[in-house]
Each structure stands twice: as C-alpha cells, then as structure tokens.
Amino acid sequence: MSLKLGVIGAGAIGKEHIRRCTQVLQGASVVAVSDINLDNARAAVNASGLQAEVYANGQDVINAPDVDALIITSWDPTHEAFALAAIEAGKPVFCEKPLAMTAEGCRRVVDAEMKAGRRLVQVGFMRPYDEGYQALKSVIDSGEIGSPLMLHCAHRNPEVGDNYTTDMAITSTLIHELDVLRWLLNDDYRSVQVRFPRATSHTHAQLKDPQIVMLETRKGILIDVEIFVNCRYGYDIQCEVVGEEGIARLPEPSSVQTRQTAKLSTTILTDWKDRFIKAYDVELQAFIRDVQAGELRGPSAWDGYAASVAADACLKAQESGAQEPINMPERPAFYLR
C-alpha cells in the first residue's frame, strides 16, 4: 500500500523531496503540502503534477487524516515544534537537519519520542547512505586496517555568500562530519579545539575561513577536519582513516579521466547536491520502506541530539581557542534497539 506523505516546507529542498517522492522513489505519494508562502506550496504541487492538498499551516498537514507520515523541510527554527507535533499525533516524521536549534531542543524531541514508546523520528543525515562512506565503514568494521588511530578529513565548498558567517562553518557544514564520523567509528566525542590559519583573501569580515577542527573521541582517536568554504576549485569531501595496519580513504566520486593537451585530468564536482544525490534518494526510500515495515532504522533523534551537543562545544571552542569538553550522556537503551 502506498504511503501517503505530507510535506511541511516547499523551499528548495522541500521541492527536491517532492520531486524525489513523485518521480524517483517507490511506495509513497505526496498528498499534502504546506509553506509559509502559499504560492511556493502551490508551485511545488503544480510542478510535480500532484493532486495534493495545499495548506497554509504545517500543523494542518500533521492533522490531515489522509497523511500517514511527514517530511519536515521548513525554516530551521520551526523543526522542533513540528517534530514534537508529529510525535504527539503518532505519525512518523523525516526531519531535515537540524532537528532543533539547540541541544536542549533536540533533547525535548528525544524525551517526547521515548515517552511515545517507539521510534517516530528520522533525521536527515544522508552521508551514512552514501556508497563511498558505506564502503569505508565496511573496511573499518572488517578490521582490515586494524583499529583506527587518526582521521584526516576535509569539507570544501567553492564559495559561499556574504550571509555565511563563522559559526555556520559548524552548524551548516561540519554538522555532517559530526554525524557521519560518529557512525563511521561507532564512537562519541570527548573534546574539541578549533584553530584558524591564515585567512583566504576570498572571505569577508564576518567569516573566518578556513578553519581546522580537532576532535578527540572517547576511544582516543584524533580527528582533524579542515573546513574551507571558499576553496574556489570545487566541492570536495575527503576522509582518510589511519589504522594500525593500514590506511583507508573515502572513494572519489566516479569521473571520466581524460588525457588531452599534455594534461591528465578528472572533473571535480562543484555542487553538493550532485555529490550526494544518490544518497538523498536512498535515504528517503529507506524512510518510506521502514515506515511501511513499522520500524525506523535511520539516523535517530538521538543522533540529532548528539550532533547538536558536539556542535555547541565546537562553537564554544571557536570563541575560546581552547580545548573544550564534549559532555555527551550515554545513549539510552531505547536507541540501542
């Protein structure tokens, strides 16, 4: 039976998910859409050729009797309230990051979900669904390179706008590494320090770029992540795991290699959507399948909370320059199932 979805938020990623559910994925249909701008919602429905109801309020989508599950892609500060309302209504919800604007807000969602007695929330962290990261995790878990000792990572964007500020290097960019590296290593963070090297001439007054984030995990693994959001040359994600017996690297995206005019070259992507487009498809298809099976297995509200706790410590480290503790509570048994 087709899962009937309600989408709250018809901005860029909301429209992408509507397109994805309508044209790419199987087992679901979008029956309700809302946006603070009704014209956006209508445009998204019309562009996908849907016979969906358009609502002005996300709460009305949650309450709609024909909606089985929800996708939240609205303005970030609204995510927590909509996620809590979905839990209250007993409806599974796929919530794009962030789950909430603060760790305390994420914890409220966690507590509400545990009170409900079953997992109802999946957070939109897509990298665990990427084929490259899955292959890298398989090598780590196999023990082929021995126990991981260090990770060298990079998150580079060609450029960002003037509205992108220093703190967003953590909350909008590093947040993906904070999630996926916990999953990759099956470990939590213990501490963080942030350093700022010489700034690129391509930045602006409100953005320190690049940044180096140095994390230590509970198992003692040291991680350095370079965040460089005005690197100019492309969108580039790197992850190298140094183990006791060898080194494993995240595979590069598939690209045709050319030999021409005395050059050997491969193309580097420039758009993050192209780099992870398959992962977005797999992620949302998995959510649909898991809802139909009655058990969510993707990134959880607890994962959203853990990323937020780590991000808060990173923000503090940006300001202090010191090594800051990351005080992460033990994972509740509810999220170990």
Side-chain angles (χ1 to χ4, degrees):
M1 186 175 68
S2 180
L3 187 70
K4 295 177 181 179
L5 297 170
V7 178
I8 301 173
I13 197 163
K15 288 175 182 174
E16 269 294 294
H17 283 336
I18 291 170
R19 179 199 62 79
R20 192 167 275 117
C21 293
T22 304
Q23 301 176 13
V24 179
L25 307 182
Q26 298 180 339
S29 60
V30 177
V31 299
V33 178
S34 73
D35 194 86
I36 192 169
N37 183 332
L38 273 176
D39 289 339
N40 274 352
R42 294 191 185 101
V45 168
N46 293 336
S48 298
L50 296 173
Q51 299 296 316
E53 191 74 26
V54 174
Y55 295 93
N57 191 309
Q59 187 64 53
D60 293 335
V61 176
I62 295 169
N63 294 336
D66 59 338
V67 169
D68 301 318
L70 298 140
I71 297 175
I72 299 174
T73 53
S74 52
W75 186 42
D76 289 357
T78 67
H79 288 189
E80 178 188 346
F82 285 138
L84 289 170
I87 293 170
E88 181 69 23
K91 295 185 177 183
V93 55
F94 178 94
C95 182
E96 276 297 345
K97 68 166 187 68
L99 180 60
M101 297 303 289
T102 64
E104 291 78 10
C106 291
R107 187 68 204 223
R108 285 191 287 270
V109 177
V110 164
D111 291 342
E113 186 177 45
M114 288 195 294
K115 184 178 179 181
R118 65 186 180 103
R119 274 201 57 189
L120 289 166
V121 178
Q122 178 170 328
V123 180
F125 289 122
M126 79 314 213
R127 289 199 191 177
Y129 295 95
D130 175 67
E131 290 179 350
Y133 274 107
Q134 290 179 344
L136 182 58
K137 184 170 177 58
S138 292
V139 170
I140 294 169
D141 290 349
S142 73
E144 182 179 341
I145 63 169
S147 297
L149 307 175
M150 299 176 286
L151 271 70
H152 307 298
C153 306
H155 190 144
R156 305 183 183 117
N157 295 67
E159 61 182 355
V160 293
D162 289 343
N163 62 336
Y164 187 105
T165 53
T166 298
D167 61 304
M168 293 174 68
I170 304 300
T171 59
S172 295
T173 299
L174 182 72
I175 196 73
H176 289 287
E177 275 76 18
L178 291 176
D179 174 71
V180 77
L181 298 182
R182 287 180 63 251
W183 168 81
L184 197 65
L185 299 170
N186 191 30
D187 200 357
D188 274 311
Y189 305 116
R190 176 188 295 161
S191 66
V192 63
Q193 185 176 17
V194 179
R195 297 292 302 275
F196 300 100
R198 176 181 175 179
T200 173
S201 62
H202 299 296
T203 192
H204 58 84
Q206 302 305 314
L207 172 61
K208 295 180 179 179
D209 186 43
Q211 304 178 30
I212 305 293
V213 179
M214 295 169 287
L215 295 150
E216 182 180 1
T217 73
R218 289 179 176 177
K219 295 177 184 176
I221 301 168
L222 296 183
I223 303 168
D224 58 84
V225 185
E226 171 203 319
I227 307 167
F228 190 7
V229 295
N230 286 290
C231 79
R232 315 310 275 181
Y233 71 84
Y235 181 74
D236 192 9
I237 302 299
Q238 299 291 323
C239 182
E240 179 180 87
V241 182
V242 179
E244 295 172 302
E245 307 292 339
I247 293 173
R249 296 195 64 165
L250 180 71
E252 295 287 346
S254 178
S255 177
V256 174
Q257 188 180 78
T258 60
R259 287 174 166 82
Q260 188 179 26
T261 61
K263 293 180 181 178
L264 177 63
S265 62
T266 55
T267 299
I268 296 175
L269 297 172
T270 58
D271 192 324
W272 58 270
K273 293 189 293 295
D274 295 333
R275 173 63 176 83
F276 290 109
I277 190 169
K278 290 183 180 178
Y280 279 107
D281 292 345
V282 175
E283 167 192 48
L284 206 48
Q285 186 67 74
F287 172 74
I288 292 167
R289 181 187 64 240
D290 289 350
V291 171
Q292 291 171 328
E295 181 182 7
L296 294 187
R297 296 178 295 174
S300 67
W302 183 259
D303 294 319
Y305 170 63
S308 187
V309 169
D312 284 353
C314 291
L315 292 172
K316 187 175 180 181
Q318 280 186 329
E319 295 293 328
S320 70
Q323 187 178 59
E324 297 290 349
I326 300 176
N327 299 313
M328 185 66 199
E330 292 298 322
R331 185 190 299 259
F334 179 89
Y335 291 102
L336 294 174
R337 292 181 285 179

